[in-house]
Coordinates of all heavy atoms in Angstrom, one line a residue:
M1 N -29.2 -15.3 -34.3 CA -27.8 -14.9 -34.3 C -26.9 -15.9 -34.8 O -25.8 -15.6 -35.2 CB -27.5 -14.5 -32.8 CG -26.2 -13.8 -32.7 SD -26.2 -12.2 -33.4 CE -24.7 -11.6 -33.0
A2 N -27.3 -17.2 -34.8 CA -26.4 -18.3 -35.2 C -26.0 -18.1 -36.7 O -25.0 -18.7 -37.1 CB -27.1 -19.6 -34.9
D3 N -26.8 -17.5 -37.5 CA -26.6 -17.3 -38.9 C -26.0 -16.0 -39.2 O -25.9 -15.6 -40.4 CB -27.9 -17.5 -39.7 CG -28.4 -19.0 -39.6 OD1 -27.5 -19.9 -39.5 OD2 -29.6 -19.1 -39.4
A4 N -25.6 -15.2 -38.3 CA -25.0 -13.9 -38.5 C -23.8 -13.9 -39.4 O -22.9 -14.8 -39.2 CB -24.7 -13.2 -37.2
L5 N -23.7 -13.0 -40.3 CA -22.5 -12.9 -41.2 C -21.4 -12.2 -40.4 O -21.6 -11.1 -39.8 CB -22.8 -12.0 -42.4 CG -21.7 -11.8 -43.4 CD1 -21.2 -13.2 -44.0 CD2 -22.1 -10.9 -44.5
I6 N -20.3 -12.9 -40.3 CA -19.1 -12.4 -39.6 C -18.0 -12.0 -40.7 O -17.7 -12.8 -41.5 CB -18.5 -13.5 -38.7 CG1 -19.5 -14.0 -37.7 CG2 -17.2 -12.9 -38.0 CD1 -20.0 -12.9 -36.7
S7 N -17.5 -10.7 -40.6 CA -16.5 -10.3 -41.5 C -15.1 -10.5 -40.8 O -14.9 -10.2 -39.6 CB -16.6 -8.8 -41.8 OG -17.8 -8.6 -42.6
I8 N -14.2 -11.0 -41.6 CA -12.8 -11.2 -41.1 C -11.9 -10.4 -42.0 O -11.9 -10.6 -43.2 CB -12.4 -12.7 -41.2 CG1 -13.4 -13.6 -40.4 CG2 -11.0 -12.9 -40.8 CD1 -13.2 -15.1 -40.6
I9 N -11.3 -9.4 -41.4 CA -10.4 -8.5 -42.1 C -8.9 -8.9 -41.9 O -8.5 -9.0 -40.8 CB -10.6 -7.1 -41.7 CG1 -12.1 -6.7 -42.0 CG2 -9.7 -6.1 -42.5 CD1 -12.6 -5.5 -41.3
C10 N -8.2 -9.2 -43.0 CA -6.9 -9.7 -42.9 C -6.0 -8.8 -43.7 O -5.8 -9.0 -44.9 CB -6.8 -11.1 -43.4 SG -5.2 -11.9 -43.3
P11 N -5.4 -7.7 -43.1 CA -4.5 -6.9 -43.9 C -3.1 -7.6 -43.9 O -2.7 -8.3 -43.0 CB -4.4 -5.6 -43.0 CG -4.8 -6.0 -41.7 CD -5.7 -7.2 -41.8
Y12 N -2.4 -7.4 -45.0 CA -1.0 -8.0 -45.1 C -0.1 -7.1 -45.9 O -0.5 -6.4 -46.8 CB -1.1 -9.4 -45.7 CG -1.6 -9.5 -47.1 CD1 -0.7 -9.5 -48.2 CD2 -3.0 -9.6 -47.4 CE1 -1.2 -9.5 -49.5 CE2 -3.4 -9.7 -48.7 CZ -2.6 -9.6 -49.7 OH -3.0 -9.7 -51.0
Y13 N 1.2 -7.2 -45.5 CA 2.2 -6.5 -46.2 C 3.5 -7.3 -46.2 O 4.0 -7.6 -45.1 CB 2.5 -5.1 -45.6 CG 3.6 -4.3 -46.2 CD1 3.5 -3.7 -47.4 CD2 4.8 -4.2 -45.5 CE1 4.6 -3.1 -48.0 CE2 5.9 -3.6 -46.1 CZ 5.8 -3.0 -47.3 OH 6.8 -2.3 -47.9
N14 N 3.9 -7.7 -47.4 CA 5.2 -8.5 -47.5 C 5.2 -9.7 -46.5 O 6.2 -9.8 -45.7 CB 6.4 -7.6 -47.3 CG 6.6 -6.7 -48.5 OD1 5.9 -6.8 -49.5 ND2 7.4 -5.7 -48.4
R15 N 4.2 -10.6 -46.6 CA 4.2 -11.7 -45.7 C 4.0 -13.0 -46.5 O 3.2 -13.9 -46.2 CB 3.0 -11.6 -44.7 CG 3.3 -10.5 -43.7 CD 4.4 -10.9 -42.8 NE 4.7 -9.8 -41.8 CZ 5.9 -9.4 -41.6 NH1 6.9 -9.8 -42.2 NH2 6.1 -8.4 -40.7
Q16 N 4.8 -13.1 -47.6 CA 4.6 -14.3 -48.5 C 4.8 -15.6 -47.7 O 4.2 -16.6 -48.1 CB 5.5 -14.2 -49.7 CG 7.0 -14.3 -49.4 CD 7.8 -14.1 -50.6 OE1 7.4 -13.6 -51.6 NE2 9.0 -14.6 -50.6
E17 N 5.6 -15.6 -46.7 CA 5.8 -16.9 -46.0 C 4.7 -17.3 -45.0 O 4.6 -18.4 -44.6 CB 7.2 -16.8 -45.2 CG 7.2 -15.7 -44.1 CD 7.6 -14.4 -44.6 OE1 7.7 -14.1 -45.8 OE2 7.9 -13.5 -43.7
Y18 N 3.7 -16.4 -44.8 CA 2.6 -16.6 -43.9 C 1.3 -16.6 -44.5 O 0.3 -17.1 -43.9 CB 2.7 -15.7 -42.7 CG 4.0 -15.6 -41.9 CD1 4.8 -14.5 -42.0 CD2 4.4 -16.7 -41.2 CE1 6.0 -14.4 -41.3 CE2 5.6 -16.7 -40.5 CZ 6.4 -15.5 -40.6 OH 7.6 -15.5 -39.9
I19 N 1.1 -15.9 -45.6 CA -0.2 -15.6 -46.1 C -1.0 -16.8 -46.5 O -2.2 -16.9 -46.2 CB -0.2 -14.5 -47.2 CG1 -1.6 -14.0 -47.5 CG2 0.5 -15.1 -48.5 CD1 -2.1 -13.1 -46.4
E20 N -0.4 -17.8 -47.1 CA -1.1 -19.0 -47.5 C -1.7 -19.7 -46.2 O -2.8 -20.1 -46.2 CB -0.2 -19.9 -48.3 CG -0.9 -21.2 -48.7 CD -0.1 -22.1 -49.6 OE1 1.1 -21.7 -49.8 OE2 -0.6 -23.1 -50.1
F21 N -0.8 -19.9 -45.2 CA -1.3 -20.5 -44.0 C -2.4 -19.8 -43.3 O -3.4 -20.4 -42.9 CB -0.1 -20.7 -43.0 CG -0.5 -21.2 -41.7 CD1 -0.6 -22.6 -41.5 CD2 -0.8 -20.4 -40.6 CE1 -1.0 -23.1 -40.3 CE2 -1.1 -20.9 -39.4 CZ -1.3 -22.2 -39.2
S22 N -2.3 -18.4 -43.3 CA -3.4 -17.6 -42.7 C -4.7 -17.8 -43.4 O -5.7 -17.9 -42.8 CB -2.9 -16.2 -42.7 OG -1.8 -16.0 -41.9
I23 N -4.7 -17.7 -44.7 CA -5.9 -17.8 -45.5 C -6.5 -19.2 -45.3 O -7.7 -19.4 -45.1 CB -5.7 -17.5 -47.0 CG1 -5.3 -16.0 -47.1 CG2 -7.0 -17.7 -47.8 CD1 -4.7 -15.6 -48.5
K24 N -5.7 -20.2 -45.4 CA -6.2 -21.6 -45.2 C -6.8 -21.8 -43.8 O -7.9 -22.4 -43.7 CB -5.1 -22.6 -45.4 CG -4.7 -22.9 -46.9 CD -3.6 -23.9 -47.0 CE -3.3 -24.2 -48.4 NZ -2.2 -25.2 -48.6
S25 N -6.2 -21.2 -42.9 CA -6.8 -21.3 -41.5 C -8.1 -20.6 -41.4 O -9.1 -21.2 -40.8 CB -5.8 -20.6 -40.5 OG -6.3 -20.6 -39.2
I26 N -8.3 -19.5 -42.0 CA -9.6 -18.8 -42.0 C -10.6 -19.7 -42.8 O -11.8 -19.8 -42.3 CB -9.5 -17.4 -42.7 CG1 -8.6 -16.5 -41.9 CG2 -10.9 -16.8 -42.9 CD1 -8.2 -15.2 -42.6
L27 N -10.3 -20.2 -43.9 CA -11.2 -21.0 -44.7 C -11.6 -22.3 -44.0 O -12.7 -22.8 -44.3 CB -10.6 -21.3 -46.1 CG -10.5 -20.1 -47.0 CD1 -9.7 -20.5 -48.3 CD2 -11.9 -19.5 -47.4
E28 N -10.8 -22.8 -43.1 CA -11.1 -24.1 -42.4 C -11.9 -23.9 -41.1 O -12.1 -24.9 -40.5 CB -9.8 -24.8 -42.1 CG -9.1 -25.3 -43.4 CD -7.7 -25.8 -43.2 OE1 -7.2 -25.8 -42.1 OE2 -7.1 -26.3 -44.2
Q29 N -12.3 -22.7 -40.8 CA -13.1 -22.5 -39.6 C -14.4 -23.2 -39.7 O -14.9 -23.4 -40.8 CB -13.4 -21.0 -39.4 CG -12.1 -20.2 -39.1 CD -11.4 -20.6 -37.9 OE1 -11.9 -20.8 -36.8 NE2 -10.1 -21.0 -38.1
T30 N -15.0 -23.7 -38.6 CA -16.2 -24.4 -38.6 C -17.4 -23.5 -38.9 O -18.4 -24.0 -39.5 CB -16.4 -25.2 -37.3 OG1 -16.4 -24.2 -36.2 CG2 -15.4 -26.2 -37.1
Y31 N -17.3 -22.2 -38.5 CA -18.4 -21.3 -38.8 C -18.2 -20.8 -40.3 O -17.2 -20.3 -40.6 CB -18.4 -20.1 -37.9 CG -19.6 -19.2 -38.0 CD1 -20.7 -19.5 -37.3 CD2 -19.6 -18.1 -38.8 CE1 -21.9 -18.8 -37.3 CE2 -20.7 -17.3 -38.8 CZ -21.8 -17.6 -38.1 OH -23.0 -16.8 -38.2
K32 N -19.2 -21.1 -41.1 CA -19.0 -20.9 -42.6 C -19.6 -19.6 -43.1 O -19.3 -19.2 -44.2 CB -19.6 -22.0 -43.3 CG -18.9 -23.4 -43.0 CD -17.5 -23.3 -43.4 CE -16.8 -24.7 -43.1 NZ -15.4 -24.6 -43.2
N33 N -20.5 -18.9 -42.3 CA -21.1 -17.7 -42.8 C -20.2 -16.5 -42.6 O -20.4 -15.7 -41.7 CB -22.5 -17.5 -42.2 CG -23.3 -16.4 -42.9 OD1 -23.0 -16.1 -44.0 ND2 -24.3 -15.9 -42.2
I34 N -19.1 -16.4 -43.4 CA -18.1 -15.4 -43.2 C -17.8 -14.6 -44.5 O -18.1 -15.1 -45.6 CB -16.8 -16.0 -42.7 CG1 -16.3 -17.1 -43.6 CG2 -16.9 -16.6 -41.2 CD1 -14.9 -17.7 -43.2
D35 N -17.4 -13.4 -44.3 CA -17.0 -12.5 -45.3 C -15.6 -12.2 -45.1 O -15.2 -11.7 -44.0 CB -17.9 -11.2 -45.1 CG -17.5 -10.0 -46.0 OD1 -17.0 -10.3 -47.1 OD2 -17.6 -8.9 -45.5
I36 N -14.7 -12.6 -46.0 CA -13.2 -12.5 -45.8 C -12.7 -11.4 -46.7 O -12.9 -11.4 -47.9 CB -12.5 -13.8 -46.2 CG1 -13.2 -15.0 -45.4 CG2 -11.0 -13.7 -45.9 CD1 -12.8 -16.3 -46.0
L37 N -12.1 -10.4 -46.0 CA -11.5 -9.3 -46.8 C -10.0 -9.4 -46.6 O -9.4 -9.2 -45.5 CB -12.0 -8.0 -46.2 CG -13.5 -7.8 -46.5 CD1 -14.2 -7.8 -45.2 CD2 -13.8 -6.6 -47.2
L38 N -9.3 -9.7 -47.7 CA -7.8 -9.7 -47.7 C -7.3 -8.4 -48.3 O -7.6 -8.1 -49.4 CB -7.4 -10.9 -48.6 CG -7.9 -12.3 -48.2 CD1 -7.4 -13.3 -49.2 CD2 -7.4 -12.6 -46.8
V39 N -6.7 -7.6 -47.4 CA -6.3 -6.3 -47.8 C -4.8 -6.2 -48.0 O -4.0 -6.3 -47.0 CB -6.7 -5.2 -46.7 CG1 -6.4 -3.8 -47.2 CG2 -8.2 -5.4 -46.4
N40 N -4.3 -6.1 -49.2 CA -2.9 -6.0 -49.6 C -2.5 -4.6 -49.4 O -3.0 -3.7 -50.2 CB -2.7 -6.5 -51.0 CG -1.3 -6.3 -51.5 OD1 -0.4 -6.2 -50.7 ND2 -1.1 -6.1 -52.8
D41 N -1.6 -4.3 -48.5 CA -1.2 -3.0 -48.2 C 0.1 -2.7 -49.0 O 1.1 -2.2 -48.5 CB -0.9 -2.9 -46.7 CG -0.6 -1.4 -46.2 OD1 -1.0 -0.5 -46.9 OD2 0.1 -1.3 -45.2
G42 N 0.0 -2.9 -50.3 CA 1.1 -2.5 -51.2 C 2.3 -3.4 -51.1 O 3.4 -3.0 -51.3
S43 N 2.1 -4.7 -50.9 CA 3.2 -5.7 -50.9 C 4.1 -5.6 -52.1 O 3.6 -5.5 -53.2 CB 2.7 -7.1 -50.7 OG 2.0 -7.3 -49.5
T44 N 5.4 -5.8 -51.8 CA 6.3 -5.8 -52.9 C 6.9 -7.2 -53.1 O 7.7 -7.4 -54.0 CB 7.5 -4.8 -52.7 OG1 8.1 -5.1 -51.4 CG2 7.0 -3.4 -52.7
D45 N 6.5 -8.2 -52.3 CA 6.9 -9.6 -52.5 C 5.8 -10.3 -53.2 O 5.0 -9.8 -53.9 CB 7.3 -10.2 -51.1 CG 6.2 -10.3 -50.2 OD1 5.0 -9.9 -50.5 OD2 6.4 -10.9 -49.1
D46 N 5.8 -11.6 -53.0 CA 4.8 -12.5 -53.7 C 3.5 -12.7 -53.0 O 2.7 -13.5 -53.4 CB 5.5 -13.8 -54.0 CG 4.9 -14.5 -55.2 OD1 4.4 -13.8 -56.1 OD2 4.9 -15.8 -55.2
S47 N 3.3 -11.9 -51.9 CA 2.1 -12.0 -51.1 C 0.8 -11.9 -51.9 O -0.1 -12.6 -51.7 CB 2.1 -11.0 -49.9 OG 3.2 -11.2 -49.1
R48 N 0.8 -10.8 -52.7 CA -0.4 -10.6 -53.5 C -0.8 -11.7 -54.4 O -1.9 -12.1 -54.5 CB -0.3 -9.3 -54.3 CG -1.5 -8.9 -55.1 CD -1.3 -7.7 -56.0 NE -2.5 -7.4 -56.7 CZ -2.9 -8.0 -57.8 NH1 -2.2 -9.0 -58.3 NH2 -4.0 -7.6 -58.4
H49 N 0.2 -12.2 -55.1 CA 0.0 -13.3 -56.0 C -0.6 -14.6 -55.2 O -1.5 -15.2 -55.7 CB 1.3 -13.7 -56.7 CG 1.2 -14.9 -57.6 ND1 0.5 -14.9 -58.8 CD2 1.6 -16.2 -57.5 CE1 0.5 -16.1 -59.3 NE2 1.2 -16.9 -58.5
I50 N 0.0 -14.9 -54.1 CA -0.4 -16.0 -53.3 C -1.9 -15.8 -52.8 O -2.7 -16.7 -53.0 CB 0.5 -16.2 -52.1 CG1 1.9 -16.6 -52.6 CG2 0.0 -17.3 -51.2 CD1 3.0 -16.6 -51.5
A51 N -2.2 -14.6 -52.3 CA -3.5 -14.3 -51.8 C -4.5 -14.4 -52.9 O -5.6 -15.0 -52.8 CB -3.6 -13.0 -51.2
H52 N -4.2 -13.9 -54.1 CA -5.2 -13.9 -55.2 C -5.3 -15.3 -55.8 O -6.3 -15.5 -56.6 CB -4.7 -12.9 -56.3 CG -5.1 -11.5 -55.9 ND1 -6.2 -10.8 -56.5 CD2 -4.5 -10.6 -55.1 CE1 -6.3 -9.6 -56.0 NE2 -5.3 -9.4 -55.1
S53 N -4.5 -16.2 -55.5 CA -4.7 -17.6 -56.0 C -5.8 -18.3 -55.3 O -6.3 -19.3 -55.8 CB -3.4 -18.4 -55.8 OG -3.1 -18.7 -54.5
F54 N -6.3 -17.8 -54.2 CA -7.4 -18.4 -53.5 C -8.7 -17.9 -54.1 O -9.0 -16.7 -54.2 CB -7.4 -18.0 -52.0 CG -6.4 -18.8 -51.2 CD1 -5.1 -18.3 -51.1 CD2 -6.7 -20.0 -50.6 CE1 -4.1 -19.0 -50.4 CE2 -5.8 -20.7 -49.9 CZ -4.5 -20.2 -49.8
K55 N -9.5 -18.8 -54.6 CA -10.8 -18.5 -55.2 C -11.9 -19.1 -54.3 O -12.1 -20.3 -54.2 CB -10.9 -19.2 -56.6 CG -9.7 -18.8 -57.5 CD -9.6 -17.3 -57.8 CE -8.5 -17.0 -58.7 NZ -8.0 -15.7 -58.7
D56 N -12.6 -18.2 -53.7 CA -13.7 -18.6 -52.8 C -14.7 -17.4 -52.9 O -14.3 -16.3 -52.8 CB -13.2 -18.8 -51.4 CG -14.2 -19.4 -50.5 OD1 -15.2 -18.7 -50.2 OD2 -14.1 -20.6 -50.0
N57 N -16.0 -17.7 -53.0 CA -16.9 -16.6 -53.1 C -17.1 -15.8 -51.9 O -17.7 -14.7 -51.9 CB -18.3 -17.2 -53.6 CG -18.9 -18.1 -52.5 OD1 -18.3 -18.5 -51.6 ND2 -20.1 -18.5 -52.8
R58 N -16.5 -16.2 -50.8 CA -16.5 -15.4 -49.5 C -15.4 -14.4 -49.4 O -15.3 -13.6 -48.5 CB -16.5 -16.4 -48.3 CG -17.7 -17.3 -48.3 CD -17.5 -18.4 -47.2 NE -16.4 -19.3 -47.6 CZ -15.9 -20.2 -46.8 NH1 -16.5 -20.4 -45.6 NH2 -14.9 -21.0 -47.2
I59 N -14.4 -14.5 -50.3 CA -13.2 -13.7 -50.3 C -13.3 -12.5 -51.2 O -13.8 -12.6 -52.3 CB -11.9 -14.5 -50.7 CG1 -11.6 -15.6 -49.7 CG2 -10.7 -13.6 -50.9 CD1 -10.5 -16.5 -50.2
T60 N -13.0 -11.3 -50.6 CA -12.9 -10.1 -51.4 C -11.4 -9.6 -51.3 O -10.9 -9.6 -50.2 CB -13.8 -9.0 -50.8 OG1 -15.1 -9.4 -50.9 CG2 -13.7 -7.7 -51.6
H61 N -10.8 -9.4 -52.4 CA -9.4 -8.9 -52.4 C -9.4 -7.4 -52.6 O -10.1 -6.8 -53.5 CB -8.6 -9.5 -53.6 CG -8.5 -11.0 -53.5 ND1 -7.5 -11.6 -52.7 CD2 -9.2 -12.0 -54.0 CE1 -7.6 -12.9 -52.8 NE2 -8.7 -13.2 -53.6
L62 N -8.7 -6.7 -51.7 CA -8.5 -5.3 -51.8 C -7.0 -5.0 -51.9 O -6.2 -5.5 -51.1 CB -9.1 -4.5 -50.6 CG -10.5 -4.7 -50.3 CD1 -10.9 -4.1 -48.9 CD2 -11.4 -4.1 -51.3
D63 N -6.6 -4.2 -52.9 CA -5.2 -3.8 -53.1 C -5.2 -2.3 -53.0 O -5.8 -1.6 -53.7 CB -4.7 -4.2 -54.5 CG -4.7 -5.7 -54.7 OD1 -4.0 -6.4 -53.9 OD2 -5.3 -6.3 -55.6
I64 N -4.4 -1.9 -52.0 CA -4.2 -0.4 -51.8 C -2.7 -0.1 -51.8 O -1.9 -1.0 -51.6 CB -4.8 0.0 -50.4 CG1 -4.2 -0.7 -49.2 CG2 -6.3 -0.3 -50.4 CD1 -4.6 -0.1 -47.9
N65 N -2.4 1.2 -51.9 CA -1.0 1.6 -51.8 C -0.6 1.5 -50.4 O -1.4 1.6 -49.4 CB -0.9 3.1 -52.3 CG -1.1 3.3 -53.7 OD1 -0.9 2.4 -54.5 ND2 -1.7 4.4 -54.1
H66 N 0.7 1.3 -50.1 CA 1.2 1.1 -48.8 C 0.9 2.3 -47.9 O 1.4 3.4 -48.2 CB 2.7 0.7 -48.8 CG 3.3 0.5 -47.5 ND1 2.8 -0.6 -46.7 CD2 4.2 1.1 -46.8 CE1 3.5 -0.6 -45.5 NE2 4.4 0.4 -45.6
Q67 N 0.1 2.1 -46.9 CA -0.3 3.2 -46.0 C -0.2 2.8 -44.5 O -0.4 3.6 -43.7 CB -1.7 3.6 -46.3 CG -2.0 4.1 -47.7 CD -3.5 4.3 -48.0 OE1 -4.2 4.6 -47.1 NE2 -3.9 4.1 -49.2
G68 N 0.1 1.6 -44.3 CA 0.2 1.1 -42.9 C -1.0 0.3 -42.5 O -2.0 0.3 -43.1
C69 N -0.7 -0.5 -41.4 CA -1.7 -1.5 -41.0 C -3.1 -0.9 -40.7 O -4.1 -1.4 -41.1 CB -1.2 -2.2 -39.8 SG -2.2 -3.6 -39.2
W70 N -3.1 0.2 -39.9 CA -4.4 0.8 -39.6 C -5.2 1.3 -40.8 O -6.4 1.1 -40.8 CB -4.2 1.9 -38.5 CG -3.9 1.3 -37.2 CD1 -2.7 1.4 -36.6 CD2 -4.7 0.6 -36.4 NE1 -2.7 0.7 -35.4 CE2 -4.0 0.2 -35.2 CE3 -6.1 0.2 -36.4 CZ2 -4.5 -0.6 -34.2 CZ3 -6.6 -0.6 -35.4 CH2 -5.8 -1.0 -34.3
K71 N -4.6 1.9 -41.7 CA -5.3 2.3 -42.9 C -5.8 1.1 -43.7 O -6.9 1.1 -44.2 CB -4.3 3.1 -43.8 CG -3.9 4.4 -43.2 CD -4.8 5.5 -43.6 CE -4.2 6.8 -43.0 NZ -4.8 8.0 -43.6
A72 N -5.0 0.1 -43.7 CA -5.5 -1.2 -44.4 C -6.7 -1.8 -43.7 O -7.6 -2.2 -44.3 CB -4.3 -2.2 -44.5
K73 N -6.6 -1.8 -42.4 CA -7.8 -2.3 -41.6 C -9.0 -1.5 -41.8 O -10.1 -2.0 -42.0 CB -7.4 -2.4 -40.1 CG -6.5 -3.5 -39.7 CD -6.2 -3.4 -38.3 CE -5.2 -4.4 -37.9 NZ -4.8 -4.4 -36.4
N74 N -8.8 -0.2 -41.9 CA -10.0 0.7 -42.1 C -10.6 0.5 -43.5 O -11.8 0.6 -43.6 CB -9.6 2.2 -41.8 CG -9.4 2.5 -40.4 OD1 -10.0 1.8 -39.5 ND2 -8.6 3.5 -40.1
Q75 N -9.8 0.3 -44.5 CA -10.3 0.0 -45.8 C -11.1 -1.3 -45.8 O -12.2 -1.4 -46.4 CB -9.2 -0.1 -46.8 CG -8.5 1.2 -47.1 CD -9.4 2.2 -47.8 OE1 -10.2 1.9 -48.6 NE2 -9.3 3.4 -47.3
G76 N -10.7 -2.3 -45.0 CA -11.4 -3.5 -44.9 C -12.7 -3.3 -44.2 O -13.8 -3.8 -44.6
I77 N -12.7 -2.5 -43.2 CA -13.9 -2.2 -42.4 C -15.0 -1.5 -43.3 O -16.1 -1.9 -43.2 CB -13.6 -1.3 -41.2 CG1 -12.8 -2.2 -40.1 CG2 -14.9 -0.8 -40.6 CD1 -12.3 -1.4 -39.0
K78 N -14.5 -0.6 -44.1 CA -15.4 0.1 -45.1 C -16.1 -0.9 -46.0 O -17.3 -0.7 -46.4 CB -14.7 1.1 -45.9 CG -14.3 2.3 -45.0 CD -13.5 3.3 -45.9 CE -13.0 4.5 -45.0 NZ -12.1 5.4 -45.8
K79 N -15.4 -2.0 -46.4 CA -16.0 -2.9 -47.4 C -16.7 -4.1 -46.7 O -17.3 -4.9 -47.4 CB -14.9 -3.5 -48.3 CG -14.2 -2.4 -49.1 CD -15.1 -1.9 -50.2 CE -14.3 -0.9 -51.1 NZ -15.1 -0.4 -52.2
A80 N -16.6 -4.2 -45.4 CA -17.1 -5.4 -44.7 C -18.6 -5.4 -44.8 O -19.3 -4.4 -44.8 CB -16.7 -5.3 -43.2
K81 N -19.2 -6.6 -44.9 CA -20.6 -6.8 -45.0 C -21.2 -7.3 -43.7 O -22.4 -7.3 -43.6 CB -20.9 -7.8 -46.1 CG -20.5 -7.3 -47.5 CD -20.6 -8.4 -48.5 CE -20.0 -8.0 -49.8 NZ -19.8 -9.2 -50.7
G82 N -20.4 -7.9 -42.8 CA -20.9 -8.5 -41.6 C -20.8 -7.5 -40.4 O -20.4 -6.4 -40.5

């Protein structure tokens, strides 16, 4: 169980002031066997650009039309590998 893949789903919408800190925080976790799904819920600010600037093989970027937090989370769950 110590090597289990853990999926982290991070939906965001217009959070350019927080998204970089959030992603860095996830990447700095001590447990490294993670699957990170960043789900852009149709942001109209610079959030998407900031999120997509992170290049890590554990990150999957999903861009969807604005549908609300629960829909964005469910999209992430569908794509999760852990």
Side-chain angles (χ1 to χ4, degrees):
M1 189 68 177
D3 295 320
L5 179 64
I6 303 296
S7 291
I8 301 168
I9 301 165
C10 181
Y12 62 92
Y13 175 74
N14 290 349
R15 292 291 177 229
Q16 67 183 21
E17 62 273 11
Y18 305 111
I19 193 69
E20 182 177 1
F21 175 82
S22 298
I23 297 168
K24 284 181 178 179
S25 177
I26 294 167
L27 291 172
E28 291 172 359
Q29 297 301 306
T30 57
Y31 191 84
K32 299 299 180 188
N33 194 19
I34 56 176
D35 170 37
I36 306 163
L37 295 113
L38 302 177
V39 186
N40 173 26
D41 188 25
S43 294
T44 57
D45 66 359
D46 207 28
S47 299
R48 181 185 182 281
H49 176 73
I50 295 167
H52 280 259
S53 71
F54 284 86
K55 306 299 181 199
D56 188 294
N57 62 351
R58 300 171 294 175
I59 296 176
T60 300
H61 296 278
L62 301 173
D63 294 301
I64 63 172
N65 293 328
H66 183 59
Q67 301 173 29
C69 185
W70 286 108
K71 296 268 185 168
K73 286 179 185 178
N74 285 335
Q75 290 296 319
I77 290 169
K78 289 178 185 176
K79 299 287 183 178
K81 299 173 190 165

